[in-house]
Amino acid sequence: MCGIIGYVGSRPALPILIEGLRRLEYRGYDSAGVALIDHGQLKVTKSAGRLSVLEQMLDFEADPTTGIGHTRWATHGAPTDVNAHPQQDASGNIAVIHNGIIENDRALRTYLERQGVVFRSETDTEVLAQLIGRFYEGNLEQAVRQALHDVSGAYAIAVVCSQEPNVIVAARKGSPLLIGIGKGENLLASDAAAILAHTTQVVYLGDGEMAHITPQHVRMTTLDAIPVTKNVEEIEWSLSEIELAGYEHFMLKEIHEQPASLETCLRGRIDLREGAVHLGGLRDCTRELTRAKRIILTACGTAWHAALVGKYMFEELIRTPTETEYASEFRYRNPVIDDGTLVIAVSQSGETADTLAALAEAKQRGALTLGVVNVVGSSIARETDAGVYLHVGPEIGVASTKAFTGQVAVLALMACYLGRRKHLSPAACTQFLTALNQIPDQIRQILQHEEEARAVAERYCEKENWLYLGRGYNYPVALEGALKLKEISYIHAEGLPAAEMKHGPIALINEGMPVVVVATAGTQYEKIISNIQQVKARGGSVIAVATEGDREIKRLAEHVLYVPDTLEPLQPLLAVIPLQLIAYHAAVLRGCNVDKPRNLAKSVTVE
Ligand code: M6R
């Protein structure tokens, strides 16, 4: 995912841009660049590689007060200096930074080449810059507007022009962009983290909207120049939440934040006395929700694993048929949806392109849509009919941890909220919610045993193939444990429903292969014990996650990581913690870049 930052005001822009780019680094990038307007001259500096490479090329003594900066994640063209953003028009007076993909760039490129334009880069962004340059007649906003009318695809852009030194023009369609409102200065960013050090007052640009930004004002319009009025909103996150606070990595910090983040997520939502759940975001559509005949949870990656836990909880507590579907599959098949179908999009960022497209498909077919989202004001939050925020704070590490537990907790609240309105008794709700309320403290207890998870990682981190097994509610946990390990340590790991092992994957097991079995107490305990025996019979090394007090499993498994007891539907919230820790320590021990794993970006806003 690319990152955008812009500044226009009276302070030197460069340090603000670089600090903003540093805060966007976690999203993943392969090149970076800035454009500054220096005494009427446009100065562009850019480079492939790390931000530090770019920094060495810059003159921090310079005092331009208008500029834009970008971190790029290559889509069109290799990650080279030339393809890095900003891209310029032929005159060199206009610079553009862009997130997203211009879909008709081939046709536009051919058209412009016929007009004599010579391209320097392979990027779709240069096509846009050249197009804006062709339309420019002394009014940047007008030129951008005209160019965007010829463009199809997704974009968030920021544009500057040397002839208009105190102006940034921005526009968005399908990629996030927000404007930070300051005093005598304004900022622009693709992610609130980039501007949080300067302001907490923001305006979210909507799809098909443009902004003309100067130090004193922000004027917003549609692409057709119709004025738009927007509320200024307050970002809830604090600066300390996006800093490492003494931890070596954001992933470790976020694993340890889970007791507190879940307390925030649950705060004010649980009424134990009444056996009730309060979810303000659902209040206006509760009647439609309880009438739903079918529920589809759609998501990607870790959010999909949380949604799978949600499916099990919904069917058990609400008794409404529920499916979990990868957003990337849902969007392209021909799903049967009617007005009795409720579609819930689960997403940390609220910007994942596949999930957004699945949502659009569901809406178009008449479904009622809900969002279970962390980032306030994100696209999914705005485009769903209603929803529930996670409130787990910013997640910076690429490997999702506290968002997973937040998603499962919110889905548990929703299951109880809707179940209570159907057939769950107040007593059953109270029992469920009491157990849910205890989860943060129980996670605190698990985190005290981090050393044991680290010891497992140390023992097996050289092994290149791992299996993760679970049944029932622990099957999604096995999937999540395997995903965590592979995405940050590059070890091949496969998660499976334990009973499926005998249908093929058991052939993989050989002497000493690490097999993580999530074997907490519950209805399928005896079955999972026999799966452990099958693994042992083939020489596999069993690492079990088990319920405190379980002595039997100690005799069978090489290693046991204990978690406190809770109700079966809530076990994923506890069982996942040791697996997050194993993945984290294995990656550190293998010397991997935990927070910025290779080939991955935090938010996948393109297909
Ligand atoms: O922002 P989202 O929750 O929509 O992101 C979905 C996935 O891309 C994300 O969960 C991904 O799988 C994580 N990197 C896994 O740790």
Side-chain angles (χ1 to χ4, degrees), residues 116-185:
V117 172
V118 178
F119 282 90
R120 289 168 289 240
S121 79
E122 302 158 82
T123 63
D124 51 347
T125 307
E126 187 186 354
V127 172
L128 190 53
Q130 298 284 10
L131 201 59
I132 295 169
R134 301 289 289 184
F135 286 123
Y136 187 71
E137 285 176 351
N139 182 333
L140 184 62
E141 186 182 11
Q142 186 54 30
V144 171
R145 179 168 281 127
Q146 280 177 273
L148 291 180
H149 274 296
D150 288 345
V151 156
S152 62
Y155 53 77
I157 57 166
V159 190
V160 289
C161 172
S162 56
Q163 278 121 299
E164 298 177 44
N166 294 316
V167 173
I168 300 175
V169 173
R172 80 156 271 186
K173 188 176 158 219
S175 258
L177 209 51
L178 54 90
I179 298 160
I181 309 295
K183 289 200 175 71
E185 61 183 20

Side-chain angles (χ1 to χ4, degrees), residues 299-304 346-352 355 380 398-401 407 480 483-484 487 600-604:
C300 306
T302 287
W304 188 87
V346 184
S347 171
Q348 188 287 128
S349 61
E351 301 294 349
T352 301
T355 314
I380 293 176
V398 166
S400 190
T401 52
Q407 285 156 351
E480 178 59 5
L483 176 61
K484 285 293 87 86
E487 72 177 321
L600 286 175
K602 178 65 183 161
S603 220
V604 188

Side-chain angles (χ1 to χ4, degrees), residues 16-236:
I16 295 169
L17 298 182
I18 294 298
E19 184 205 351
L21 292 180
R22 196 160 296 301
R23 299 222 187 256
L24 293 172
E25 276 186 301
Y26 76 94
R27 300 161 76 104
Y29 65 98
D30 46 44
S31 50
V34 294
L36 295 158
I37 302 183
D38 191 1
H39 300 99
Q41 298 272 307
L42 183 68
K43 292 203 171 145
V44 171
T45 314
K46 54 189 188 168
S47 141
R50 291 268 172 234
L51 205 53
S52 50
V53 180
L54 176 71
E55 279 181 273
Q56 280 161 19
M57 299 162 71
L58 292 165
D59 172 11
F60 283 87
E61 298 298 308
D63 58 0
T65 55
T66 302
I68 53 177
H70 191 259
T71 46
R72 174 173 186 252
W73 178 256
T75 52
H76 283 60
T80 59
D81 294 353
V82 173
N83 287 338
H85 298 197
Q87 291 291 328
Q88 288 170 269
D89 74 326
S91 74
N93 294 328
I94 290 172
V96 179
I97 55 177
H98 163 223
N99 293 354
I101 291 178
I102 305 297
E103 280 160 10
N104 59 341
D105 89 305
R106 281 281 128 215
L108 290 171
R109 186 177 276 260
T110 308
Y111 163 78
L112 288 164
E113 277 169 346
R114 287 202 186 121
Q115 308 269 312
V117 172
V118 178
F119 282 90
R120 289 168 289 240
S121 79
E122 302 158 82
T123 63
D124 51 347
T125 307
E126 187 186 354
V127 172
L128 190 53
Q130 298 284 10
L131 201 59
I132 295 169
R134 301 289 289 184
F135 286 123
Y136 187 71
E137 285 176 351
N139 182 333
L140 184 62
E141 186 182 11
Q142 186 54 30
V144 171
R145 179 168 281 127
Q146 280 177 273
L148 291 180
H149 274 296
D150 288 345
V151 156
S152 62
Y155 53 77
I157 57 166
V159 190
V160 289
C161 172
S162 56
Q163 278 121 299
E164 298 177 44
N166 294 316
V167 173
I168 300 175
V169 173
R172 80 156 271 186
K173 188 176 158 219
S175 258
L177 209 51
L178 54 90
I179 298 160
I181 309 295
K183 289 200 175 71
E185 61 183 20
N186 288 306
L187 297 105
L188 174 78
S190 49
D191 181 326
I195 58 165
L196 205 49
H198 307 286
T199 181
T200 53
Q201 306 280 299
V202 296
V203 174
Y204 295 97
L205 210 59
D207 261 354
E209 291 174 358
M210 292 182 63
H212 180 272
I213 308 165
T214 68
Q216 306 303 340
H217 79 260
V218 175
R219 190 181 63 239
M220 295 174 69
T221 52
T222 64
L223 283 185
D224 296 322
I226 298 163
V228 174
T229 313
K230 288 269 164 121
N231 290 335
V232 176
E233 297 180 40
E234 178 83 23
I235 306 175
E236 286 179 2

Side-chain angles (χ1 to χ4, degrees), residues 501-515:
M501 189 178 55
K502 61 183 175 290
H503 297 289
I506 198 164
L508 290 169
I509 299 175
N510 55 13
E511 199 60 37
M513 180 187 197
V515 181

